[in-house]
Amino acid sequence: MNLAQNTLLAYAVSGAITAESCIRKSQIALFHSSYLVKIPLQISNLVENGYSFTAQSINILDNEVVRVYAENTSIEMTNERGDTCTLNLSSDGANGEMGSFRNGENASTIRMTGQMGMDARAGSYTGKATFSVRLENVRQ
């Protein structure tokens, strides 16, 4: 995840302009795409309500998109008694994306959902999911 805004500032300034030389003053600034996607430490009620990722400071080019992917879509969950089951993550996004942002957007229109395995016993389950955030070129 790119949390820092990388900035390259280059400029050239020369001395006095004389009849013998024509001196130009120029300044060039290059600002790389920057973004901040919020990945929560805990997502409650995923099965009942689903979840949409949020972001701030999406400052990217028009031909770029920031996408959120689940690195593991089958997550082992454990309840307070030690019972285990599998939570399967899915979304209405294409190519396995769980979230997506274009320039200036702060809420993903993609909704991530979870489905507990049929063998899940009653209880409050916890597990660990790993997400990645990638800056990608828009497919034409």
mmCIF file of all heavy atoms in Angstrom, residues 75-121:
data_model
loop_
_atom_site.group_PDB
_atom_site.id
_atom_site.type_symbol
_atom_site.label_atom_id
_atom_site.label_comp_id
_atom_site.label_asym_id
_atom_site.label_seq_id
_atom_site.Cartn_x
_atom_site.Cartn_y
_atom_site.Cartn_z
ATOM 1 N N ILE A 75 -11.083 -18.964 4.536
ATOM 2 C CA ILE A 75 -10.458 -18.606 5.807
ATOM 3 C C ILE A 75 -10.915 -19.568 6.892
ATOM 4 O O ILE A 75 -12.114 -19.792 7.074
ATOM 5 C CB ILE A 75 -10.835 -17.161 6.187
ATOM 6 C CG1 ILE A 75 -10.364 -16.218 5.085
ATOM 7 C CG2 ILE A 75 -10.259 -16.775 7.544
ATOM 8 C CD1 ILE A 75 -11.009 -14.891 5.092
ATOM 9 N N GLU A 76 -9.946 -20.136 7.598
ATOM 10 C CA GLU A 76 -10.292 -21.008 8.721
ATOM 11 C C GLU A 76 -10.712 -20.152 9.901
ATOM 12 O O GLU A 76 -9.992 -19.253 10.329
ATOM 13 C CB GLU A 76 -9.118 -21.899 9.115
ATOM 14 C CG GLU A 76 -9.508 -22.880 10.219
ATOM 15 C CD GLU A 76 -8.444 -23.905 10.505
ATOM 16 O OE1 GLU A 76 -7.862 -24.434 9.545
ATOM 17 O OE2 GLU A 76 -8.195 -24.162 11.687
ATOM 18 N N MET A 77 -11.891 -20.446 10.415
ATOM 19 C CA MET A 77 -12.462 -19.694 11.529
ATOM 20 C C MET A 77 -12.548 -20.611 12.752
ATOM 21 O O MET A 77 -12.765 -21.819 12.621
ATOM 22 C CB MET A 77 -13.861 -19.201 11.156
ATOM 23 C CG MET A 77 -13.933 -18.381 9.873
ATOM 24 S SD MET A 77 -13.123 -16.796 10.003
ATOM 25 C CE MET A 77 -14.330 -15.912 10.971
ATOM 26 N N THR A 78 -12.395 -20.010 13.935
ATOM 27 C CA THR A 78 -12.467 -20.759 15.190
ATOM 28 C C THR A 78 -13.371 -20.025 16.155
ATOM 29 O O THR A 78 -13.301 -18.802 16.278
ATOM 30 C CB THR A 78 -11.056 -20.891 15.819
ATOM 31 O OG1 THR A 78 -10.175 -21.458 14.842
ATOM 32 C CG2 THR A 78 -11.080 -21.772 17.056
ATOM 33 N N ASN A 79 -14.239 -20.771 16.852
ATOM 34 C CA ASN A 79 -15.111 -20.131 17.838
ATOM 35 C C ASN A 79 -14.537 -20.300 19.246
ATOM 36 O O ASN A 79 -13.461 -20.892 19.428
ATOM 37 C CB ASN A 79 -16.554 -20.640 17.736
ATOM 38 C CG ASN A 79 -16.735 -22.076 18.190
ATOM 39 O OD1 ASN A 79 -15.842 -22.700 18.759
ATOM 40 N ND2 ASN A 79 -17.908 -22.624 17.939
ATOM 41 N N GLU A 80 -15.264 -19.800 20.222
ATOM 42 C CA GLU A 80 -14.785 -19.779 21.609
ATOM 43 C C GLU A 80 -14.612 -21.181 22.209
ATOM 44 O O GLU A 80 -13.869 -21.359 23.169
ATOM 45 C CB GLU A 80 -15.703 -18.918 22.494
ATOM 46 C CG GLU A 80 -17.138 -19.412 22.596
ATOM 47 C CD GLU A 80 -18.039 -18.977 21.445
ATOM 48 O OE1 GLU A 80 -17.557 -18.321 20.494
ATOM 49 O OE2 GLU A 80 -19.235 -19.294 21.493
ATOM 50 N N ARG A 81 -15.257 -22.186 21.619
ATOM 51 C CA ARG A 81 -15.113 -23.563 22.103
ATOM 52 C C ARG A 81 -14.005 -24.315 21.382
ATOM 53 O O ARG A 81 -13.725 -25.460 21.690
ATOM 54 C CB ARG A 81 -16.432 -24.327 21.928
ATOM 55 C CG ARG A 81 -17.541 -23.877 22.863
ATOM 56 C CD ARG A 81 -18.761 -24.812 22.758
ATOM 57 N NE ARG A 81 -19.174 -25.057 21.388
ATOM 58 C CZ ARG A 81 -20.148 -24.389 20.756
ATOM 59 N NH1 ARG A 81 -20.796 -23.429 21.370
ATOM 60 N NH2 ARG A 81 -20.480 -24.683 19.530
ATOM 61 N N GLY A 82 -13.424 -23.678 20.367
ATOM 62 C CA GLY A 82 -12.390 -24.349 19.586
ATOM 63 C C GLY A 82 -12.906 -25.044 18.348
ATOM 64 O O GLY A 82 -12.143 -25.685 17.626
ATOM 65 N N ASP A 83 -14.212 -24.938 18.074
ATOM 66 C CA ASP A 83 -14.779 -25.501 16.851
ATOM 67 C C ASP A 83 -14.253 -24.711 15.654
ATOM 68 O O ASP A 83 -14.095 -23.489 15.729
ATOM 69 C CB ASP A 83 -16.311 -25.425 16.863
ATOM 70 C CG ASP A 83 -16.938 -26.200 18.009
ATOM 71 O OD1 ASP A 83 -16.379 -27.256 18.384
ATOM 72 O OD2 ASP A 83 -17.981 -25.749 18.524
ATOM 73 N N THR A 84 -14.003 -25.386 14.541
ATOM 74 C CA THR A 84 -13.514 -24.697 13.345
ATOM 75 C C THR A 84 -14.480 -24.898 12.187
ATOM 76 O O THR A 84 -15.231 -25.871 12.139
ATOM 77 C CB THR A 84 -12.115 -25.209 12.936
ATOM 78 O OG1 THR A 84 -12.196 -26.597 12.640
ATOM 79 C CG2 THR A 84 -11.097 -24.966 14.028
ATOM 80 N N CYS A 85 -14.436 -23.966 11.270
ATOM 81 C CA CYS A 85 -15.166 -24.074 10.009
ATOM 82 C C CYS A 85 -14.502 -23.124 9.020
ATOM 83 O O CYS A 85 -13.572 -22.396 9.370
ATOM 84 C CB CYS A 85 -16.649 -23.749 10.181
ATOM 85 S SG CYS A 85 -16.980 -22.021 10.452
ATOM 86 N N THR A 86 -14.982 -23.129 7.800
ATOM 87 C CA THR A 86 -14.395 -22.295 6.758
ATOM 88 C C THR A 86 -15.350 -21.169 6.386
ATOM 89 O O THR A 86 -16.550 -21.399 6.190
ATOM 90 C CB THR A 86 -14.083 -23.137 5.505
ATOM 91 O OG1 THR A 86 -13.169 -24.173 5.870
ATOM 92 C CG2 THR A 86 -13.456 -22.287 4.415
ATOM 93 N N LEU A 87 -14.806 -19.953 6.290
ATOM 94 C CA LEU A 87 -15.534 -18.802 5.768
ATOM 95 C C LEU A 87 -15.028 -18.569 4.357
ATOM 96 O O LEU A 87 -13.819 -18.431 4.137
ATOM 97 C CB LEU A 87 -15.278 -17.557 6.623
ATOM 98 C CG LEU A 87 -15.816 -16.243 6.064
ATOM 99 C CD1 LEU A 87 -17.342 -16.215 6.147
ATOM 100 C CD2 LEU A 87 -15.226 -15.055 6.798
ATOM 101 N N ASN A 88 -15.928 -18.557 3.383
ATOM 102 C CA ASN A 88 -15.561 -18.309 1.988
ATOM 103 C C ASN A 88 -15.924 -16.880 1.614
ATOM 104 O O ASN A 88 -17.096 -16.495 1.696
ATOM 105 C CB ASN A 88 -16.265 -19.297 1.069
ATOM 106 C CG ASN A 88 -15.771 -20.707 1.303
ATOM 107 O OD1 ASN A 88 -14.585 -20.966 1.199
ATOM 108 N ND2 ASN A 88 -16.677 -21.600 1.643
ATOM 109 N N LEU A 89 -14.913 -16.107 1.222
ATOM 110 C CA LEU A 89 -15.123 -14.719 0.797
ATOM 111 C C LEU A 89 -15.443 -14.675 -0.684
ATOM 112 O O LEU A 89 -14.864 -15.415 -1.485
ATOM 113 C CB LEU A 89 -13.876 -13.875 1.056
ATOM 114 C CG LEU A 89 -13.463 -13.671 2.499
ATOM 115 C CD1 LEU A 89 -12.174 -12.857 2.554
ATOM 116 C CD2 LEU A 89 -14.566 -12.990 3.287
ATOM 117 N N SER A 90 -16.351 -13.793 -1.052
ATOM 118 C CA SER A 90 -16.672 -13.558 -2.461
ATOM 119 C C SER A 90 -17.103 -12.103 -2.604
ATOM 120 O O SER A 90 -17.224 -11.373 -1.620
ATOM 121 C CB SER A 90 -17.771 -14.507 -2.945
ATOM 122 O OG SER A 90 -18.953 -14.311 -2.199
ATOM 123 N N SER A 91 -17.317 -11.686 -3.834
ATOM 124 C CA SER A 91 -17.757 -10.305 -4.070
ATOM 125 C C SER A 91 -18.479 -10.238 -5.408
ATOM 126 O O SER A 91 -18.467 -11.200 -6.184
ATOM 127 C CB SER A 91 -16.563 -9.347 -4.080
ATOM 128 O OG SER A 91 -15.839 -9.490 -5.290
ATOM 129 N N ASP A 92 -19.067 -9.089 -5.676
ATOM 130 C CA ASP A 92 -19.691 -8.869 -6.976
ATOM 131 C C ASP A 92 -18.720 -8.191 -7.934
ATOM 132 O O ASP A 92 -19.109 -7.715 -8.989
ATOM 133 C CB ASP A 92 -20.999 -8.082 -6.839
ATOM 134 C CG ASP A 92 -20.831 -6.781 -6.069
ATOM 135 O OD1 ASP A 92 -19.690 -6.429 -5.712
ATOM 136 O OD2 ASP A 92 -21.843 -6.118 -5.817
ATOM 137 N N GLY A 93 -17.430 -8.167 -7.582
ATOM 138 C CA GLY A 93 -16.396 -7.593 -8.437
ATOM 139 C C GLY A 93 -15.876 -8.613 -9.441
ATOM 140 O O GLY A 93 -16.096 -9.811 -9.302
ATOM 141 N N ALA A 94 -15.181 -8.128 -10.447
ATOM 142 C CA ALA A 94 -14.611 -8.989 -11.471
ATOM 143 C C ALA A 94 -13.211 -9.454 -11.060
ATOM 144 O O ALA A 94 -12.516 -8.767 -10.298
ATOM 145 C CB ALA A 94 -14.539 -8.235 -12.796
ATOM 146 N N ASN A 95 -12.804 -10.594 -11.537
ATOM 147 C CA ASN A 95 -11.441 -11.106 -11.359
ATOM 148 C C ASN A 95 -11.004 -11.198 -9.901
ATOM 149 O O ASN A 95 -9.840 -10.963 -9.583
ATOM 150 C CB ASN A 95 -10.443 -10.248 -12.150
ATOM 151 C CG ASN A 95 -10.789 -10.201 -13.627
ATOM 152 O OD1 ASN A 95 -11.111 -11.221 -14.224
ATOM 153 N ND2 ASN A 95 -10.762 -9.021 -14.205
ATOM 154 N N GLY A 96 -11.925 -11.478 -9.018
ATOM 155 C CA GLY A 96 -11.571 -11.680 -7.614
ATOM 156 C C GLY A 96 -11.336 -10.419 -6.806
ATOM 157 O O GLY A 96 -10.914 -10.490 -5.656
ATOM 158 N N GLU A 97 -11.606 -9.258 -7.363
ATOM 159 C CA GLU A 97 -11.397 -8.030 -6.596
ATOM 160 C C GLU A 97 -12.495 -7.858 -5.554
ATOM 161 O O GLU A 97 -13.652 -8.146 -5.798
ATOM 162 C CB GLU A 97 -11.283 -6.808 -7.508
ATOM 163 C CG GLU A 97 -12.487 -6.543 -8.356
ATOM 164 C CD GLU A 97 -12.244 -5.493 -9.415
ATOM 165 O OE1 GLU A 97 -11.354 -4.644 -9.265
ATOM 166 O OE2 GLU A 97 -12.969 -5.519 -10.415
ATOM 167 N N MET A 98 -12.090 -7.410 -4.365
ATOM 168 C CA MET A 98 -13.007 -7.197 -3.245
ATOM 169 C C MET A 98 -13.346 -5.719 -3.065
ATOM 170 O O MET A 98 -14.241 -5.370 -2.318
ATOM 171 C CB MET A 98 -12.410 -7.751 -1.950
ATOM 172 C CG MET A 98 -12.106 -9.228 -1.996
ATOM 173 S SD MET A 98 -13.618 -10.189 -2.074
ATOM 174 C CE MET A 98 -12.979 -11.805 -2.453
ATOM 175 N N GLY A 99 -12.613 -4.866 -3.741
ATOM 176 C CA GLY A 99 -12.838 -3.420 -3.693
ATOM 177 C C GLY A 99 -12.149 -2.759 -4.869
ATOM 178 O O GLY A 99 -11.187 -3.307 -5.416
ATOM 179 N N SER A 100 -12.632 -1.593 -5.260
ATOM 180 C CA SER A 100 -12.068 -0.894 -6.408
ATOM 181 C C SER A 100 -12.329 0.604 -6.257
ATOM 182 O O SER A 100 -13.416 1.007 -5.836
ATOM 183 C CB SER A 100 -12.714 -1.424 -7.688
ATOM 184 O OG SER A 100 -12.224 -0.742 -8.808
ATOM 185 N N PHE A 101 -11.327 1.422 -6.625
ATOM 186 C CA PHE A 101 -11.443 2.879 -6.503
ATOM 187 C C PHE A 101 -10.853 3.548 -7.728
ATOM 188 O O PHE A 101 -9.767 3.199 -8.175
ATOM 189 C CB PHE A 101 -10.683 3.385 -5.267
ATOM 190 C CG PHE A 101 -11.138 2.760 -3.982
ATOM 191 C CD1 PHE A 101 -10.526 1.618 -3.500
ATOM 192 C CD2 PHE A 101 -12.193 3.304 -3.266
ATOM 193 C CE1 PHE A 101 -10.943 1.031 -2.322
ATOM 194 C CE2 PHE A 101 -12.620 2.723 -2.093
ATOM 195 C CZ PHE A 101 -11.995 1.578 -1.620
ATOM 196 N N ARG A 102 -11.565 4.539 -8.260
ATOM 197 C CA ARG A 102 -11.068 5.406 -9.318
ATOM 198 C C ARG A 102 -10.676 6.735 -8.682
ATOM 199 O O ARG A 102 -10.925 6.962 -7.496
ATOM 200 C CB ARG A 102 -12.149 5.626 -10.398
ATOM 201 C CG ARG A 102 -12.631 4.359 -11.098
ATOM 202 C CD ARG A 102 -11.542 3.632 -11.868
ATOM 203 N NE ARG A 102 -10.973 4.407 -12.929
ATOM 204 C CZ ARG A 102 -11.236 4.249 -14.205
ATOM 205 N NH1 ARG A 102 -12.066 3.316 -14.595
ATOM 206 N NH2 ARG A 102 -10.659 5.009 -15.111
ATOM 207 N N ASN A 103 -10.107 7.601 -9.446
ATOM 208 C CA ASN A 103 -9.624 8.878 -8.933
ATOM 209 C C ASN A 103 -10.728 9.638 -8.189
ATOM 210 O O ASN A 103 -11.818 9.822 -8.703
ATOM 211 C CB ASN A 103 -9.076 9.739 -10.068
ATOM 212 C CG ASN A 103 -8.355 10.956 -9.546
ATOM 213 O OD1 ASN A 103 -7.647 10.870 -8.547
ATOM 214 N ND2 ASN A 103 -8.526 12.076 -10.205
ATOM 215 N N GLY A 104 -10.441 10.032 -6.946
ATOM 216 C CA GLY A 104 -11.364 10.827 -6.154
ATOM 217 C C GLY A 104 -12.428 10.049 -5.406
ATOM 218 O O GLY A 104 -13.142 10.613 -4.584
ATOM 219 N N GLU A 105 -12.575 8.761 -5.656
ATOM 220 C CA GLU A 105 -13.609 7.967 -4.973
ATOM 221 C C GLU A 105 -13.171 7.623 -3.546
ATOM 222 O O GLU A 105 -11.992 7.401 -3.295
ATOM 223 C CB GLU A 105 -13.899 6.674 -5.742
ATOM 224 C CG GLU A 105 -14.547 6.904 -7.073
ATOM 225 C CD GLU A 105 -14.822 5.606 -7.817
ATOM 226 O OE1 GLU A 105 -14.236 4.571 -7.488
ATOM 227 O OE2 GLU A 105 -15.643 5.665 -8.756
ATOM 228 N N ASN A 106 -14.124 7.548 -2.643
ATOM 229 C CA ASN A 106 -13.797 7.178 -1.258
ATOM 230 C C ASN A 106 -14.598 5.989 -0.760
ATOM 231 O O ASN A 106 -14.456 5.585 0.386
ATOM 232 C CB ASN A 106 -13.955 8.370 -0.310
ATOM 233 C CG ASN A 106 -15.370 8.912 -0.298
ATOM 234 O OD1 ASN A 106 -16.269 8.334 -0.885
ATOM 235 N ND2 ASN A 106 -15.561 10.022 0.376
ATOM 236 N N ALA A 107 -15.453 5.415 -1.594
ATOM 237 C CA ALA A 107 -16.207 4.214 -1.223
ATOM 238 C C ALA A 107 -16.260 3.285 -2.431
ATOM 239 O O ALA A 107 -16.560 3.713 -3.541
ATOM 240 C CB ALA A 107 -17.622 4.572 -0.777
ATOM 241 N N SER A 108 -15.952 2.029 -2.198
ATOM 242 C CA SER A 108 -16.009 1.043 -3.270
ATOM 243 C C SER A 108 -17.456 0.657 -3.547
ATOM 244 O O SER A 108 -18.257 0.497 -2.625
ATOM 245 C CB SER A 108 -15.206 -0.196 -2.875
ATOM 246 O OG SER A 108 -15.342 -1.191 -3.867
ATOM 247 N N THR A 109 -17.784 0.499 -4.804
ATOM 248 C CA THR A 109 -19.122 0.033 -5.163
ATOM 249 C C THR A 109 -19.189 -1.495 -5.131
ATOM 250 O O THR A 109 -20.263 -2.068 -5.250
ATOM 251 C CB THR A 109 -19.521 0.526 -6.566
ATOM 252 O OG1 THR A 109 -18.549 0.076 -7.501
ATOM 253 C CG2 THR A 109 -19.616 2.037 -6.596
ATOM 254 N N ILE A 110 -18.061 -2.140 -4.962
ATOM 255 C CA ILE A 110 -18.005 -3.602 -4.866
ATOM 256 C C ILE A 110 -18.288 -3.999 -3.424
ATOM 257 O O ILE A 110 -17.760 -3.412 -2.487
ATOM 258 C CB ILE A 110 -16.625 -4.120 -5.318
ATOM 259 C CG1 ILE A 110 -16.427 -3.805 -6.802
ATOM 260 C CG2 ILE A 110 -16.477 -5.608 -5.030
ATOM 261 C CD1 ILE A 110 -15.049 -4.115 -7.312
ATOM 262 N N ARG A 111 -19.122 -4.985 -3.261
ATOM 263 C CA ARG A 111 -19.489 -5.465 -1.919
ATOM 264 C C ARG A 111 -18.908 -6.861 -1.706
ATOM 265 O O ARG A 111 -19.172 -7.770 -2.481
ATOM 266 C CB ARG A 111 -20.999 -5.486 -1.778
ATOM 267 C CG ARG A 111 -21.463 -5.757 -0.375
ATOM 268 C CD ARG A 111 -22.824 -5.102 -0.157
ATOM 269 N NE ARG A 111 -23.101 -4.895 1.233
ATOM 270 C CZ ARG A 111 -22.654 -3.893 1.976
ATOM 271 N NH1 ARG A 111 -21.885 -2.984 1.439
ATOM 272 N NH2 ARG A 111 -22.984 -3.788 3.236
ATOM 273 N N MET A 112 -18.102 -7.003 -0.641
ATOM 274 C CA MET A 112 -17.533 -8.295 -0.263
ATOM 275 C C MET A 112 -18.510 -8.995 0.669
ATOM 276 O O MET A 112 -19.095 -8.373 1.548
ATOM 277 C CB MET A 112 -16.194 -8.078 0.451
ATOM 278 C CG MET A 112 -15.537 -9.356 0.916
ATOM 279 S SD MET A 112 -13.928 -9.076 1.695
ATOM 280 C CE MET A 112 -14.389 -8.116 3.141
ATOM 281 N N THR A 113 -18.707 -10.289 0.460
ATOM 282 C CA THR A 113 -19.594 -11.072 1.317
ATOM 283 C C THR A 113 -18.858 -12.315 1.799
ATOM 284 O O THR A 113 -17.823 -12.696 1.246
ATOM 285 C CB THR A 113 -20.875 -11.490 0.574
ATOM 286 O OG1 THR A 113 -20.509 -12.226 -0.594
ATOM 287 C CG2 THR A 113 -21.702 -10.284 0.191
ATOM 288 N N GLY A 114 -19.410 -12.935 2.831
ATOM 289 C CA GLY A 114 -18.831 -14.155 3.373
ATOM 290 C C GLY A 114 -19.902 -15.201 3.583
ATOM 291 O O GLY A 114 -21.034 -14.878 3.941
ATOM 292 N N GLN A 115 -19.532 -16.446 3.351
ATOM 293 C CA GLN A 115 -20.458 -17.565 3.544
ATOM 294 C C GLN A 115 -19.770 -18.590 4.430
ATOM 295 O O GLN A 115 -18.708 -19.098 4.081
ATOM 296 C CB GLN A 115 -20.823 -18.189 2.189
ATOM 297 C CG GLN A 115 -21.748 -19.379 2.291
ATOM 298 C CD GLN A 115 -23.125 -18.988 2.793
ATOM 299 O OE1 GLN A 115 -23.713 -18.008 2.339
ATOM 300 N NE2 GLN A 115 -23.649 -19.750 3.728
ATOM 301 N N MET A 116 -20.373 -18.853 5.584
ATOM 302 C CA MET A 116 -19.836 -19.862 6.505
ATOM 303 C C MET A 116 -20.154 -21.255 5.959
ATOM 304 O O MET A 116 -21.191 -21.461 5.334
ATOM 305 C CB MET A 116 -20.447 -19.706 7.889
ATOM 306 C CG MET A 116 -20.056 -18.420 8.601
ATOM 307 S SD MET A 116 -18.329 -18.332 9.054
ATOM 308 C CE MET A 116 -18.333 -19.278 10.566
ATOM 309 N N GLY A 117 -19.249 -22.187 6.233
ATOM 310 C CA GLY A 117 -19.456 -23.571 5.831
ATOM 311 C C GLY A 117 -20.700 -24.149 6.484
ATOM 312 O O GLY A 117 -21.116 -23.728 7.570
ATOM 313 N N MET A 118 -21.297 -25.123 5.827
ATOM 314 C CA MET A 118 -22.530 -25.733 6.327
ATOM 315 C C MET A 118 -22.322 -26.473 7.647
ATOM 316 O O MET A 118 -23.253 -26.708 8.384
ATOM 317 C CB MET A 118 -23.095 -26.701 5.268
ATOM 318 C CG MET A 118 -23.526 -26.009 3.976
ATOM 319 S SD MET A 118 -24.779 -24.732 4.223
ATOM 320 C CE MET A 118 -26.159 -25.724 4.731
ATOM 321 N N ASP A 119 -21.063 -26.802 7.963
ATOM 322 C CA ASP A 119 -20.757 -27.538 9.185
ATOM 323 C C ASP A 119 -20.512 -26.620 10.385
ATOM 324 O O ASP A 119 -20.161 -27.087 11.464
ATOM 325 C CB ASP A 119 -19.539 -28.437 8.964
ATOM 326 C CG ASP A 119 -18.306 -27.653 8.536
ATOM 327 O OD1 ASP A 119 -18.465 -26.489 8.083
ATOM 328 O OD2 ASP A 119 -17.196 -28.188 8.635
ATOM 329 N N ALA A 120 -20.737 -25.314 10.236
ATOM 330 C CA ALA A 120 -20.466 -24.359 11.324
ATOM 331 C C ALA A 120 -21.432 -24.586 12.482
ATOM 332 O O ALA A 120 -22.642 -24.672 12.291
ATOM 333 C CB ALA A 120 -20.600 -22.930 10.813
ATOM 334 N N ARG A 121 -20.867 -24.699 13.662
ATOM 335 C CA ARG A 121 -21.673 -24.831 14.869
ATOM 336 C C ARG A 121 -21.922 -23.433 15.437
ATOM 337 O O ARG A 121 -21.217 -22.484 15.107
ATOM 338 C CB ARG A 121 -20.938 -25.699 15.881
ATOM 339 C CG ARG A 121 -20.733 -27.135 15.331
ATOM 340 C CD ARG A 121 -20.090 -28.046 16.304
ATOM 341 N NE ARG A 121 -21.013 -28.255 17.423
ATOM 342 C CZ ARG A 121 -20.642 -28.752 18.589
ATOM 343 N NH1 ARG A 121 -19.405 -29.085 18.807
ATOM 344 N NH2 ARG A 121 -21.526 -28.919 19.553
#
